[in-house]
Amino acid sequence: MSGELGVSEPAAAPLDPEERVDLLLRDLRSTREGLTAREAARRLVHYGPNMLRRRGGRRWPGELARQFTHPLALLLWAAALLAWWAGIVAVALAIVVVIVVNAAFAFVQEMQAERAVEALAAYLPERAKVLRDGQEQMVDAADLVPGDVLVVEEGDRISADARLITGGVEVDLSALTGESMPAYRSAELADVHVPLLQARDLVFSGTVCTEGEGRALVFATGMHTELGRIAALSERVEREVSPLESQVRRVAWLIALIAVVMGLAFLPVAVYGAKLPFHDAVVFAVGLLVGNVPEGLLPVITLALALGVRELVRRGAVVKRLSAVETLGSADVICTDKTGTLTENRMHVATVWTTAGPQHLTGADTVQGTDSDAALVALAAVMTRCNNAQPATAEADGTAIGDPTELALLEAASRLGHGITPADRERDRRRQFHFDPVLKLMSTVDERDNGVWTDTKGAPEAVVPHCSRILQTDASTQPLTDDVRRRVEEQVDALARHGLRVLALAERRLNAAALPENRAEAEQDLTLIGLAAMADPPRPEVAEAVAHCHGAGIRVIIVTGDHALTAAAIAHQVGIGGPHPRVVTGEELDRMPEDDLDHLLRHHRELIFARSSPEAKLRIADALRAEGHVVAMTGDGVNDAPALRRADIGVAMGRSGTDVAREAATMVLTDDNFATIVTAIGAGRRIYDNIRKFICYIFAHTTPEITPFLVFALGGGAIPLPLTVLQLLAFDVGTETLPALALGRERAEPGLMDRPPRPRSEGVIRGSMLLRAWLFLGVICAALQMAGFFAVLIHADWHPGDPTGPGTPLHHSYQQATTMTLLGMVAGQIGTAFAARTDHASLRSIGVFTNPLLLWGIGFELALAALFIYAPPFQDLLGTAALTPAMVALVIPFPFVVWGADELRRWLLRRQTHASTSARRKS
């Protein structure tokens, strides 16, 4: 054992991974049983973690530069240059300050969002199975060291460069070579003096095992692997721009175009129509440009998506891309597996059946009297031999390793009094033919009972056709006649109707001198031993989640490899498909033309596809997407990867899923629970709604911001400028962002999961939203703030055309009036924030004080406004003046007017919706 070796790390001389295995083991100071845990810990200190170091240099300068060049920033740069050219240096400098502040804020938010997504890797650490202290153990892939013996199985991502010492595997080397076809690698195919990537006994970090199993001696980790030597593969991948961000950027360009067109169109009006001095006309143009810029829009959206991703993690769903959050909100079909997703995946064998009849395995005690039943003895032998799971042991810290089905078979065999240790099983195994999801079979060739046997398990309809005889209780065999086959089928159906998952087990004695080389030879002329029926109850929360799906207009389709009756029984228990669900078997689906499949999916909301292959998942996903559906597809196996990639939302299982499935998926469930998918869809809807809310909130301020400049221009010099450019900049930078962020954390509206999914083609920014923001909320806010402006001037005996400049009797009153406009905008903004909290529901239904962050944001807004109005430094900078209590009292009702008007609008909409719904029901 490696713990008895005197050197704690391999020799410093360069290793030759192609040398003989015994020499490589000597050089690495290891054994075929691996290292001890203490030895591995010492080597980890010496070699460092098995990780690739980041390359590509610092990214933050480019990210920061990008904040200065997006369309909204370019619009502000244009305004600054215009002001500088006109000699308004103070305004130009103020706009530059605004650009810098916004860029810094956006940069910080995007970096936080990126870190939020990168941090999700901690929730899904790569794991590897190794031999430590002579036992198979799961460890973090980062803890692998040279000398470890790696256990490689189908679906595993290989985490280090290693030399196969037993077994054979097919490996996808495309990450290193670009070749799409899997390559066969075997311990028996020793190559020397060839390039490492061509050596047929070596496997490499970053590649994927697609078939087979074996053990491999790790000879390189971290940056010393082939993957580590390829610099291009360790470059950072650029952050993907989500469809939502693309939509918003298109809108940003549209806003920029509108602002420029408005400035160019109204500039002649200001100069020639209104007879404004050129200086004032430039102020007007700058005000239009600045007033049209929603500076906080892009960073707030990015941060809202990142916060949404973090929230989903807390709910058990790790989303790997920000863009997936918006897609979740529009999902209208969930294609789900059954085992482990709808059910608890805590299997136990409830009943075994042989020709003697059913034997119910109740309680926890060993079943007595099995030695006298040869069929039960053989059944237990196949359960243990045709199996790769490891039961919980004290040496493995009480942790069982393996597929839940195989663990259940081991437990049943033990209760039948015929357990076996994994070491004995491995010692006696001669061949393995892995489980094939298409054939639905697994077989091993084992030495046992003084002979060599084929041991086979699988779906009854797959195993029975390979059988020619059936085992009796006295160890004799009889031909498997049509009557006996019918009896077996009836027994399978009877067990499946109770929701039990049924496996058939078979065996054949072989000639030890001529072992089968392929599964076709091994899996012929078998003797059927019996059946094992496993119970896997539905998760208690799934029925409620399915009901939520029905209320939300989401279809649920089961795609499972299980028996049709088993799948139908579980579906009935959780409420999928109704009392008489439409069940389609794999054979039916294979024979079904595309047009018939499209018709089936179009006219049946909920279906059960039983005994389905992974290829069927891909076909179903394609058919649903062709019909315009947004599809969430679950999967856990290697062959599920194409369907997970093709679906709009690929959902992999975090516990039972393979590395390949988790990599292909968009979302990984840390609890493998169907209810978490529904929770994530609800969260996606809420996040998308909240993005719309703060977009509406931000856009609602465009009209109040440009109205003072339009009034100024159209007044032809008779009306003084109601709001200075510096005051507008103070409003944009100081008071808008925090409430917008708070709206991104708004709770879900009542009835969120009672409305149909959002259509795929529907954009985040709709015409009705813009009408509400610009022509309803915006117009009301603008009217109120202008009313406050004119009220102060009129109270000071101002008449149109009266001078208000410095040194005039009305100058102080004019400053109070512009300050009143600024305060009126802030007050209108508060009313808009409360109005934007809901799209349809009343504010009372969600609670006035249920968003504490919004209340803090409004408090900050009011404190900042007071600072602008009453602090002498800001008075000098912004041209504000202290307001009297009467003036402040005039503004107090403004938020209630804005919110109340929108509350009335929403009440009328709800009333209209209710009336139309009632009319449809009556008709």
Side-chain angles (χ1 to χ4, degrees), residues 828-850:
Q829 193 177 49
I830 294 171
T832 302
F834 279 103
R837 289 186 64 190
T838 67
D839 286 327
H840 302 91
S842 67
L843 184 60
R844 186 181 64 178
S845 65
I846 64 170
V848 178
F849 304 108
T850 53

Side-chain angles (χ1 to χ4, degrees), residues 311-357:
E311 178 189 340
L312 289 174
V313 168
R314 290 193 294 270
R315 293 168 176 256
V318 178
V319 177
K320 294 158 63 177
R321 296 195 308 268
L322 286 181
S323 58
V325 176
E326 59 187 284
T327 310
L328 277 168
S330 58
D332 64 339
V333 180
I334 301 175
C335 295
T336 178
D337 199 353
K338 178 188 74 67
T339 303
T341 310
L342 299 178
T343 62
E344 295 181 353
N345 205 21
R346 291 190 300 174
M347 293 188 181
H348 67 276
V349 177
T351 303
V352 293
W353 178 90
T354 64
T355 53

Side-chain angles (χ1 to χ4, degrees), residues 750-768:
L752 176 73
M753 293 297 284
D754 293 330
R755 62 180 192 236
R758 170 174 56 88
R760 179 195 290 271
S761 58
E762 182 180 295
V764 67
I765 299 174
R766 294 178 295 175
S768 59

